[in-house]
Each structure stands twice: as structure tokens, then as C-alpha cells.
Amino acid sequence: MTASDLRAHALDQLNRYLEAHPREREELGALMAQLLEDPADVFARANMRGHVTTSGIVYDARADMVLMIHHKVLDRWLQPGGHHEGADRLDVSAAREVREETGVERFAPWPAGAGGALPFDVESHAIRANPAKGEGDHLHHDFIYLFAADSTQPVQPQWAEVKGVRWMPRADFAALPSPRFARMNEKLVALRESSAPA
């Protein structure tokens, strides 16, 4: 995909997400504005207004477990993810991050549908300046995709980037100190009650 194709793809994903979650429109205003107005590349890490990241919530509904990584730099539990690389669709980028950081290979988009993968959650959060990397304060606009997996499969952490990988009970995931985990937990519960992955 070209840079303009990627931007159009991200805008389409955001608009479709907001159709399903209109109450989140205000908090995603900075992302919407940047996708519509910023002449710079919104996928480039050098864009200090903000740039797109992707991540994955990998969920075993039967065991009620979520796959999480312990981030080496931030020293806290997060879903696997990172900066968008290359020219892939956002869901493909999220899946690659899951494989790279956790070593888990067998997972599938959930729920699967003919309309293609849609974000499970979208969140913008502030990142503090990192002078060692030549980075100022900026935003990460994270497109988060949901994948179903069996939590009995082995993990192989990417030790260069993570301090650990584990399947975490959903209740522990919901209790992590960030409103976004509580919000995603509510979505997981609603989805789990309405359907289950094949």
C-alpha cells in the first residue's frame, strides 16, 4: 500500500470503528484531525504530532485468558504491539507484532467476518519526550485488533523488547491501572456473552 492508501485505510478503519462506538468520537478527535489534515506521514515515527501504532488483544474465551507482554522500557504489562512498519494493513501489522513479541503463531481474527477485520479498540495516548532517541512529546494512535487463540500453546518472548510474556486471567487484565483495559474488558465480556470463537 502507498502512503496515501495507508492513510485512507486508517481513516476508513476509524470511521467504521466510530460507527460502532460513537461515544468515543471526542476522545479520538486528535487522530481524526491528524488523518484528515496533517500533510506529514501519520505512519512515520518521526512525526512528533503523533503517529499510528498497532497492537493485538489475543483472547482465549474458553479459558478466559488474555495474552500480555511485560514491556521492557515501560516496565508494565501491555498487549503486544508496536509502531506500524512497512505498507501492510493495520490488522496485518498488529498480527505481526503479536507473533514477533510473543512467539505465539496460532491465532485468528475474532469475530471473523466477510467485511474484513475491524479494530476492537482505538486509543490515543501521550508519549513523553525521549531525548536519547531525538523524540519530543507526541501521541501514539493505537489501532487494536482482537484475535482468538488457544492459551495452551507455548510462548517464545522476544527478549530484546519484552521482559516476559504470559496468559493473564481476564479479571487481572481488567484490573490493570489504565481506563483502556477496563473499557476493553467490557467489550470482551460483551463479545464473549454473544458468541464464542470456533
Side-chain angles (χ1 to χ4, degrees):
M1 298 177 86
T2 67
S4 61
D5 288 339
L6 272 173
R7 185 186 292 252
H9 168 58
L11 189 57
D12 175 67
Q13 292 281 281
L14 179 59
N15 279 321
R16 293 171 71 188
Y17 176 79
L18 288 173
E19 285 175 14
H21 305 282
R23 289 181 296 171
E24 297 178 33
R25 183 171 298 277
E26 184 175 344
E27 64 189 87
L28 294 173
L31 170 57
M32 179 66 79
Q34 194 168 355
L35 286 171
L36 291 172
E37 304 163 3
D38 191 347
D41 185 356
V42 295
F43 291 87
R45 192 168 183 165
N47 188 333
M48 288 296 102
R49 178 174 175 182
H51 46 264
V52 169
T53 60
T54 61
S55 62
I57 294 293
V58 184
Y59 183 52
D60 182 339
R62 291 181 186 89
D64 205 16
M65 305 279 274
V66 181
L67 182 64
M68 300 291 281
I69 58 113
H70 194 204
H71 197 282
K72 185 172 268 190
V73 175
L74 299 176
D75 194 29
R76 59 190 175 115
W77 291 99
L78 298 169
Q79 74 271 19
H83 291 88
H84 183 274
E85 300 170 16
D88 290 326
R89 292 188 331 259
L90 298 175
D91 57 310
V92 174
S93 172
R96 181 178 57 247
E97 292 291 339
V98 168
R99 286 188 187 92
E100 287 178 356
E101 292 189 343
T102 71
V104 169
E105 291 288 338
R106 297 186 314 276
F107 56 89
W110 185 36
L118 290 177
F120 175 63
D121 198 73
V122 182
E123 194 236 1
S124 294
H125 56 273
I127 301 295
R128 291 184 179 174
N130 186 339
K133 291 185 177 180
E135 295 178 349
D137 292 335
H138 60 282
L139 292 174
H140 276 179
H141 303 298
D142 198 23
F143 285 79
I144 305 163
Y145 291 83
L146 179 62
F147 302 101
D150 181 348
S151 58
T152 63
Q153 64 183 297
V155 297
Q156 295 181 319
Q158 184 185 50
W159 295 114
E161 297 201 17
V162 305
K163 291 171 73 173
V165 175
R166 76 177 178 108
W167 289 96
M168 179 181 291
R170 183 184 47 76
D172 294 350
F173 167 79
L176 289 170
S178 170
R180 68 177 162 161
F181 293 118
R183 181 179 69 225
M184 287 192 285
N185 177 64
E186 290 177 4
K187 293 177 182 178
L188 281 176
V189 170
L191 193 57
R192 185 171 187 248
E193 290 174 352
S194 66
S195 64

